[in-house]
Amino acid sequence: MDADLRHDRQAGGLDTDTAPAATSTARVVGIVWGLLILNTLGSAGAKTIVPLPRSLIQMVTMGALVAAFALALVVNLRLRIRPSAFVLLLTLLLVPSLISSANLNSGFGALFRCGRLALFVGTLWLLSRWWDGGTTFVRHHIRMYFAVLGSVAAGLLISPGAALPELYGGRLVGALWPLTPPQIGQYAAVIIGLTVLLVLGRRTDRVSAAVVIVPSLVLLALTHTRTATLGLIIGLTLAIGSLVLTSAAARRFFTWAVLCAVVAAVGFAGALRSWFLRGQSQENFSNLTGRAKVWDALLAAPRSTGEKLFGMGLGDKSFGGLPIDNSWLAVYHEQGLTGIALVGSVIAVLGGVALLRPPSLSRACAIFLISYCAIASYTEAGLGDASPYLLHLAVAASLLAAPADPPLPPPAVPRRHVPRWARGPEVS
């Protein structure tokens, strides 16, 4: 801890007098990140133990975003930002969003969502000042989502029936805050992967890691979320693979993980297949639980040239009253081909920068987050609007940012020459 503090002081040009102010600022930045996460939790989901009006939930989530922007502005009054291709592309994404939403094809709610996205992106610009390639935002991410999972676990203990409703096929939902199984699975998978990488990088101890990983694995299993599980496995494989040549701990973990996977595949093949299918028929599984029908209808719908280029305006990521559940098709529907090009550029730029970086823990965490979001984009929407997926990618961008250069020392003041005859008598 002392070594990390000394490093932070050197990187930011801090001395002992400014350390308390820096600590206070770091806490505010963590609060801002938590408010952004609260904003992206959403307002739709399962029925909670205590019924929460949707209007109240929306008021809380939007209030969190406004508070996040205000706090970020307070700690960055001089508007110092770092160049970021990631945030720049998100800013450009506002252009097709505004053009399509101005037609009001999706109602006045589209303009409201544009304002929300603008505040979200503006907050990321203000926070970019503290993106230095370190794991600070990884820790913020883990803490905040672990707190969210804590509320899910509390709801499960208080009312198992409400947390495992028949409406969702007995899958785990949020009983205190309306969270769907895919949301819970996503949060659990992301913090599991990041915590495993922190352990391999010796940035946390095994006991603290177990406190996060073990309950998160239980919650992930209860959600029966295939996308999150595959994203966790593939993302960790790619991330750890990037460390294999430079980390003995990564090589040992990779070897044991492969052995355990082989044993599980042979000894528990039936149970794993049953968990994976979730009681669905082969036909329903091949149609991705009905998603393919929605996708075909969306692609077959007639569109004007303007609608193909800029979309129909920001909406609730649904088509014909059914969820789209695909980031690329949702972006095409709402922001058109222009939006797809910009979102594709976000993934390509982050992935390209990650591949060009030398092996390190920050690079491995970024690879995990980028690959997870890319995999989840096939069956989950969110890459084109304020969402947890953009927060995951923002953490990846912070990990790939070059460390800030320490401030240059003040120039030496030249000493004034005093003639020998004008000097006072020396004291011996």
Side-chain angles (χ1 to χ4, degrees):
M1 179 64 73
D2 293 338
D4 293 340
L5 184 57
R6 286 195 298 270
H7 171 74
D8 292 340
R9 289 174 179 172
Q10 293 172 359
L14 300 177
D15 54 24
T16 306
D17 296 333
T18 60
T23 302
S24 177
T25 300
R27 289 175 181 171
V28 174
V29 170
I31 293 172
V32 171
W33 197 255
L35 291 171
L36 287 179
I37 288 177
L38 176 58
N39 173 254
T40 58
L41 291 182
S43 58
K47 294 182 179 180
T48 55
I49 299 173
V50 178
L52 299 174
R54 188 172 182 181
S55 58
L56 174 62
I57 298 175
Q58 290 176 335
M59 186 184 304
V60 171
T61 54
M62 277 308 301
L65 179 58
V66 173
F69 180 80
L71 285 176
L73 190 59
V74 166
V75 296
N76 195 0
L77 283 176
R78 296 184 180 180
L79 302 181
R80 294 178 178 175
I81 61 176
R82 298 198 61 183
S84 172
F86 167 72
V87 189
L88 176 61
L89 289 169
L90 291 187
T91 306
L92 294 177
L93 188 62
L94 284 168
V95 176
S97 303
L98 286 170
I99 292 175
S100 58
S101 298
N103 295 326
L104 299 180
N105 291 329
S106 300
F108 287 99
L111 293 177
F112 177 81
R113 292 183 178 93
C114 284
R116 176 188 178 222
L117 180 58
L119 271 181
F120 184 87
V121 175
T123 306
L124 292 182
W125 272 122
L126 293 172
L127 292 179
S128 66
R129 175 184 178 183
W130 292 277
W131 293 359
D132 58 0
T135 58
T136 300
F137 284 89
V138 171
R139 297 182 185 278
H140 291 329
H141 218 53
I142 293 174
R143 291 191 192 105
M144 299 307 172
Y145 278 122
F146 188 66
V148 174
L149 293 181
S151 71
V152 175
L156 177 62
L157 294 175
I158 295 172
S159 179
L164 300 168
E166 290 297 330
L167 180 63
Y168 284 86
R171 301 170 64 190
L172 181 65
V173 300
L176 298 180
W177 185 276
L179 297 173
T180 62
Q183 284 180 281
I184 299 171
Q186 174 197 161
Y187 306 154
V190 166
I191 67 173
I192 289 169
L194 292 176
T195 305
V196 168
L197 293 174
L198 288 182
V199 172
L200 295 180
R202 296 181 180 179
R203 299 298 177 86
T204 188
D205 59 272
R206 296 183 180 182
V207 175
S208 300
V211 170
V212 174
I213 294 174
V214 173
S216 299
L217 277 173
V218 174
L219 297 181
L220 175 60
L222 291 176
T223 62
H224 287 255
T225 307
R226 295 175 293 220
T227 300
T229 304
L230 289 177
L232 172 62
I233 294 172
I234 298 174
L236 265 184
T237 300
L238 295 175
I240 295 175
S242 70
L243 293 172
V244 164
L245 296 179
T246 58
S247 171
R251 289 192 292 270
R252 288 194 299 270
F253 182 87
F254 187 81
T255 302
W256 280 106
V258 171
L259 290 176
C260 292
V262 171
V263 172
V266 174
F268 304 97
L272 291 175
R273 185 176 182 276
S274 176
W275 182 90
F276 201 77
L277 289 176
R278 297 196 311 237
Q280 297 175 338
S281 64
Q282 193 66 35
E283 180 181 359
N284 196 17
F285 176 74
S286 62
N287 287 329
L288 296 174
T289 322
R291 290 185 177 96
K293 297 179 181 179
V294 180
W295 299 347
D296 293 340
L298 186 150
L299 292 173
R303 298 172 187 271
S304 65
T305 302
E307 291 170 348
K308 289 181 180 179
L309 288 176
F310 302 111
M312 306 291 291
L314 292 183
D316 59 357
K317 312 298 176 288
S318 66
F319 179 80
L322 297 173
I324 297 174
D325 285 340
N326 180 288
S327 283
W328 304 102
L329 291 179
V331 170
Y332 172 68
H333 179 60
E334 297 183 354
Q335 292 140 314
L337 296 174
T338 306
I340 286 183
L342 290 171
V343 172
S345 298
V346 167
I347 300 294
V349 167
L350 289 176
V353 172
L355 292 177
L356 293 176
R357 287 283 191 270
S360 66
L361 174 62
S362 294
R363 176 185 184 235
C365 291
I367 289 174
F368 169 74
L369 291 169
I370 297 167
S371 57
Y372 181 90
C373 291
I375 293 167
S377 67
Y378 184 66
T379 57
E380 297 290 337
L383 285 183
D385 204 348
S387 69
Y389 291 106
L390 288 190
L391 288 181
H392 301 335
L393 294 178
V395 174
S398 74
L399 290 163
L400 297 174
D405 295 329
L408 296 175
V413 179
R415 297 182 61 182
R416 184 178 178 182
H417 177 70
V418 180
R420 183 182 298 274
W421 58 269
R423 298 174 186 173
E426 295 182 0
V427 180
S428 58

